[in-house]
Amino acid sequence: MNQGIKIALLALMLAALVYLVPSPALTMEHTLYGACVALAALLAVLALRQLRVTQVKRRYGQAAIAAIFPVDPLDLAMWCIPAAFVGARLAYCLARSSFYFLEIGPLSVLRTWEGGFMLYGAVLGALLAAGLLARRCGAGVTATLDELAVPGLLAVAVCRLGEGLTGEGVGAWVESAALMRFPFAVQNEFGEWQLAVFVLEAAAALLIALAVLRVQAGQGERITTG
Protein backbone atom coordinates (compact mmCIF):
# COMPACT_ATOMS: atom_id res chain seq x y z
CA MET A 1 0.00 0.00 0.00
CA ASN A 2 1.53 3.33 -1.03
CA GLN A 3 1.89 6.35 1.25
CA GLY A 4 -0.87 8.32 -0.44
CA ILE A 5 -3.47 5.64 0.30
CA LYS A 6 -2.24 5.32 3.88
CA ILE A 7 -2.54 9.08 4.43
CA ALA A 8 -6.05 9.08 2.96
CA LEU A 9 -7.11 6.21 5.22
CA LEU A 10 -5.61 7.98 8.23
CA ALA A 11 -7.58 11.12 7.37
CA LEU A 12 -10.80 9.08 7.17
CA MET A 13 -10.08 7.50 10.55
CA LEU A 14 -9.49 10.89 12.16
CA ALA A 15 -12.68 12.29 10.63
CA ALA A 16 -14.61 9.26 11.88
CA LEU A 17 -13.36 9.85 15.42
CA VAL A 18 -14.89 13.33 15.41
CA TYR A 19 -18.34 11.83 14.83
CA LEU A 20 -18.01 8.58 16.77
CA VAL A 21 -16.61 10.03 20.02
CA PRO A 22 -19.34 12.25 21.50
CA SER A 23 -19.30 15.00 24.07
CA PRO A 24 -22.27 14.86 26.45
CA ALA A 25 -21.92 18.56 27.18
CA LEU A 26 -22.49 19.53 23.53
CA THR A 27 -25.21 18.81 21.01
CA MET A 28 -23.46 19.85 17.80
CA GLU A 29 -23.28 17.20 15.08
CA HIS A 30 -19.53 16.85 15.38
CA THR A 31 -18.14 17.43 18.85
CA LEU A 32 -15.16 19.23 20.27
CA TYR A 33 -14.18 16.22 22.35
CA GLY A 34 -14.17 14.00 19.28
CA ALA A 35 -12.00 16.59 17.56
CA CYS A 36 -9.60 16.50 20.51
CA VAL A 37 -9.36 12.71 20.28
CA ALA A 38 -8.68 12.97 16.55
CA LEU A 39 -6.07 15.66 17.22
CA ALA A 40 -4.43 13.44 19.83
CA ALA A 41 -4.15 10.57 17.34
CA LEU A 42 -2.70 12.87 14.67
CA LEU A 43 -0.24 14.35 17.16
CA ALA A 44 0.95 10.86 18.12
CA VAL A 45 1.59 9.95 14.47
CA LEU A 46 3.47 13.18 13.77
CA ALA A 47 5.50 12.87 16.97
CA LEU A 48 6.44 9.30 16.13
CA ARG A 49 7.61 10.25 12.65
CA GLN A 50 9.57 13.26 13.89
CA LEU A 51 11.23 11.41 16.77
CA ARG A 52 12.22 8.61 14.43
CA VAL A 53 13.72 10.88 11.78
CA THR A 54 15.53 13.07 14.30
CA GLN A 55 17.11 10.21 16.20
CA VAL A 56 18.18 8.14 13.22
CA LYS A 57 19.45 10.99 11.06
CA ARG A 58 21.54 12.27 13.95
CA ARG A 59 23.15 8.91 14.59
CA TYR A 60 23.17 6.93 11.38
CA GLY A 61 21.89 8.97 8.43
CA GLN A 62 18.64 9.06 6.45
CA ALA A 63 19.21 5.73 4.68
CA ALA A 64 19.17 3.82 7.95
CA ILE A 65 15.58 4.70 8.89
CA ALA A 66 13.86 1.86 7.03
CA ALA A 67 16.45 -0.68 8.17
CA ILE A 68 16.26 0.26 11.85
CA PHE A 69 12.49 0.84 11.97
CA PRO A 70 10.74 -1.68 9.71
CA VAL A 71 7.28 -0.68 11.01
CA ASP A 72 5.88 2.34 9.16
CA PRO A 73 4.30 4.96 11.48
CA LEU A 74 1.28 5.16 9.15
CA ASP A 75 0.81 1.40 9.43
CA LEU A 76 0.96 1.72 13.20
CA ALA A 77 -1.67 4.46 13.05
CA MET A 78 -4.01 2.38 10.89
CA TRP A 79 -3.72 -0.54 13.31
CA CYS A 80 -3.59 1.29 16.64
CA ILE A 81 -6.30 3.94 16.18
CA PRO A 82 -9.16 1.51 15.46
CA ALA A 83 -7.86 -0.91 18.11
CA ALA A 84 -7.72 1.87 20.70
CA PHE A 85 -11.26 2.98 19.82
CA VAL A 86 -12.65 -0.56 20.06
CA GLY A 87 -10.67 -1.31 23.22
CA ALA A 88 -11.89 1.87 24.93
CA ARG A 89 -15.51 1.08 24.12
CA LEU A 90 -15.34 -2.60 25.05
CA ALA A 91 -13.57 -1.91 28.34
CA TYR A 92 -16.24 0.62 29.30
CA CYS A 93 -19.09 -1.71 28.41
CA LEU A 94 -17.50 -4.73 30.12
CA ALA A 95 -17.04 -2.69 33.29
CA ARG A 96 -20.80 -2.14 33.18
CA SER A 97 -21.65 -5.50 31.68
CA SER A 98 -24.93 -6.01 33.55
CA PHE A 99 -26.31 -2.77 32.12
CA TYR A 100 -25.05 -3.12 28.55
CA PHE A 101 -25.43 -6.85 28.03
CA LEU A 102 -28.49 -7.64 30.18
CA GLU A 103 -30.62 -4.54 30.60
CA ILE A 104 -30.41 -2.73 27.25
CA GLY A 105 -28.88 -5.48 25.07
CA PRO A 106 -25.43 -6.15 23.58
CA LEU A 107 -26.12 -4.13 20.42
CA SER A 108 -25.93 -1.03 22.60
CA VAL A 109 -22.16 -1.49 22.55
CA LEU A 110 -22.26 -0.22 18.95
CA ARG A 111 -23.97 3.05 19.90
CA THR A 112 -20.73 4.89 20.57
CA TRP A 113 -22.32 8.29 19.96
CA GLU A 114 -24.13 7.89 23.26
CA GLY A 115 -20.83 8.04 25.11
CA GLY A 116 -18.84 5.58 27.18
CA PHE A 117 -15.11 4.99 26.71
CA MET A 118 -12.31 3.91 29.02
CA LEU A 119 -8.71 5.07 28.70
CA TYR A 120 -7.25 1.78 29.96
CA GLY A 121 -9.04 -0.12 27.22
CA ALA A 122 -7.73 2.30 24.60
CA VAL A 123 -4.15 1.84 25.78
CA LEU A 124 -4.49 -1.94 25.90
CA GLY A 125 -6.04 -2.05 22.43
CA ALA A 126 -3.29 0.10 20.95
CA LEU A 127 -0.55 -1.97 22.61
CA LEU A 128 -2.01 -5.24 21.35
CA ALA A 129 -2.34 -3.88 17.81
CA ALA A 130 1.20 -2.51 17.82
CA GLY A 131 2.57 -5.82 19.09
CA LEU A 132 0.73 -7.81 16.43
CA LEU A 133 1.90 -5.46 13.66
CA ALA A 134 5.49 -5.62 14.90
CA ARG A 135 5.44 -9.42 14.77
CA ARG A 136 3.85 -9.29 11.31
CA CYS A 137 6.66 -7.01 10.08
CA GLY A 138 9.40 -9.06 11.74
CA ALA A 139 10.26 -6.23 14.12
CA GLY A 140 10.97 -6.43 17.84
CA VAL A 141 7.77 -6.10 19.83
CA THR A 142 9.38 -4.46 22.86
CA ALA A 143 11.37 -2.05 20.68
CA THR A 144 8.21 -1.04 18.83
CA LEU A 145 6.30 -0.48 22.07
CA ASP A 146 9.21 1.55 23.47
CA GLU A 147 9.11 3.73 20.39
CA LEU A 148 5.37 4.35 20.91
CA ALA A 149 5.77 5.42 24.54
CA VAL A 150 6.29 9.16 24.02
CA PRO A 151 3.75 9.61 21.16
CA GLY A 152 1.23 7.58 23.15
CA LEU A 153 1.72 9.70 26.26
CA LEU A 154 1.28 12.89 24.22
CA ALA A 155 -1.98 11.50 22.86
CA VAL A 156 -3.14 10.65 26.38
CA ALA A 157 -2.36 14.20 27.53
CA VAL A 158 -4.42 15.77 24.73
CA CYS A 159 -7.32 13.38 25.33
CA ARG A 160 -7.34 14.11 29.04
CA LEU A 161 -7.39 17.87 28.42
CA GLY A 162 -10.19 17.38 25.90
CA GLU A 163 -12.16 15.52 28.54
CA GLY A 164 -12.63 18.83 30.29
CA LEU A 165 -15.01 19.83 27.48
CA THR A 166 -17.38 17.02 28.43
CA GLY A 167 -17.90 17.96 32.06
CA GLU A 168 -16.19 14.71 33.03
CA GLY A 169 -12.75 14.11 34.50
CA VAL A 170 -13.40 16.00 37.72
CA GLY A 171 -12.98 14.93 41.32
CA ALA A 172 -13.98 15.99 44.80
CA TRP A 173 -15.51 19.34 45.62
CA VAL A 174 -12.96 22.02 46.46
CA GLU A 175 -13.44 23.86 49.73
CA SER A 176 -10.27 25.96 49.82
CA ALA A 177 -10.73 29.37 48.17
CA ALA A 178 -7.08 29.35 47.09
CA LEU A 179 -7.75 26.34 44.85
CA MET A 180 -10.99 27.62 43.33
CA ARG A 181 -9.38 28.50 40.03
CA PHE A 182 -8.10 26.80 36.89
CA PRO A 183 -5.98 24.67 36.53
CA PHE A 184 -6.59 23.35 40.05
CA ALA A 185 -10.36 23.20 39.78
CA VAL A 186 -13.24 23.85 37.40
CA GLN A 187 -16.84 24.89 37.97
CA ASN A 188 -19.67 22.49 37.24
CA GLU A 189 -23.09 23.46 35.87
CA PHE A 190 -24.23 24.46 39.37
CA GLY A 191 -21.30 26.82 39.91
CA GLU A 192 -19.57 24.48 42.36
CA TRP A 193 -15.80 24.03 42.16
CA GLN A 194 -14.45 20.51 41.64
CA LEU A 195 -10.91 19.22 41.41
CA ALA A 196 -9.69 19.26 37.78
CA VAL A 197 -8.51 15.65 37.66
CA PHE A 198 -8.22 15.77 33.87
CA VAL A 199 -5.56 18.49 34.14
CA LEU A 200 -3.58 16.46 36.67
CA GLU A 201 -3.76 13.39 34.42
CA ALA A 202 -2.57 15.38 31.41
CA ALA A 203 0.29 16.89 33.39
CA ALA A 204 1.30 13.46 34.67
CA ALA A 205 1.33 12.07 31.11
CA LEU A 206 3.54 14.93 29.92
CA LEU A 207 5.96 14.53 32.83
CA ILE A 208 6.25 10.81 32.17
CA ALA A 209 6.84 11.53 28.47
CA LEU A 210 9.69 13.89 29.35
CA ALA A 211 11.20 11.25 31.65
CA VAL A 212 10.98 8.61 28.93
CA LEU A 213 12.62 10.99 26.45
CA ARG A 214 15.52 11.51 28.84
CA VAL A 215 15.95 7.78 29.33
CA GLN A 216 15.80 7.11 25.60
CA ALA A 217 18.27 9.92 24.90
CA GLY A 218 20.67 8.43 27.44
CA GLN A 219 20.38 5.01 25.86
CA GLY A 220 21.00 6.51 22.42
CA GLU A 221 24.14 8.24 23.62
CA ARG A 222 25.49 4.99 25.04
CA ILE A 223 24.81 3.23 21.75
CA THR A 224 26.52 5.98 19.76
CA THR A 225 29.60 6.21 21.96
CA GLY A 226 29.76 2.50 22.71
Side-chain angles (χ1 to χ4, degrees):
M1 188 183 298
N2 62 46
Q3 293 292 99
I5 295 177
K6 291 178 182 179
I7 292 173
L9 288 174
L10 176 60
L12 288 174
M13 287 182 187
L14 296 179
L17 287 177
V18 175
Y19 289 92
L20 293 175
V21 180
S23 172
L26 300 170
T27 57
M28 61 178 61
E29 185 178 7
H30 55 282
T31 69
L32 291 178
Y33 183 49
C36 285
V37 174
L39 176 63
L42 178 60
L43 178 63
V45 175
L46 295 177
L48 178 59
R49 290 176 67 90
Q50 186 57 44
L51 286 170
R52 175 176 292 187
V53 170
T54 300
Q55 293 174 4
V56 177
K57 285 180 67 176
R58 183 175 65 243
R59 298 171 192 163
Y60 308 105
Q62 178 72 27
I65 293 179
I68 297 176
F69 300 108
V71 183
D72 189 334
L74 290 178
D75 288 332
L76 279 169
M78 287 189 292
W79 281 58
C80 292
I81 292 174
F85 178 81
V86 172
R89 180 61 174 170
L90 284 179
Y92 182 88
C93 293
L94 288 173
R96 297 157 179 81
S97 57
S98 60
F99 176 71
Y100 279 98
F101 295 101
L102 298 179
E103 292 185 31
I104 62 176
L107 289 180
S108 61
V109 174
L110 302 177
R111 299 201 293 266
T112 62
W113 54 88
E114 295 178 355
F117 298 91
M118 188 174 288
L119 175 63
Y120 310 111
V123 173
L124 180 59
L127 290 177
L128 288 174
L132 289 172
L133 180 60
R135 290 180 63 87
R136 185 171 181 267
C137 295
V141 173
T142 55
T144 300
L145 297 183
D146 284 347
E147 190 186 7
L148 283 176
V150 172
L153 287 164
L154 290 177
V156 167
V158 173
C159 286
R160 294 297 88 184
L161 289 175
E163 189 180 25
L165 299 170
T166 70
E168 303 292 334
V170 295
W173 281 270
V174 175
E175 298 180 358
S176 172
L179 297 179
M180 291 181 179
R181 64 192 67 187
F182 189 82
F184 307 108
V186 291
Q187 283 183 297
N188 59 26
E189 58 184 338
F190 304 108
E192 301 165 322
W193 288 92
Q194 290 182 265
L195 186 65
V197 176
F198 65 94
V199 175
L200 297 177
E201 291 173 333
L206 291 175
L207 289 174
I208 296 172
L210 288 174
V212 172
L213 273 176
R214 292 194 63 178
V215 171
Q216 291 178 343
Q219 291 174 343
E221 290 298 327
R222 288 196 294 273
I223 292 173
T224 304
T225 58

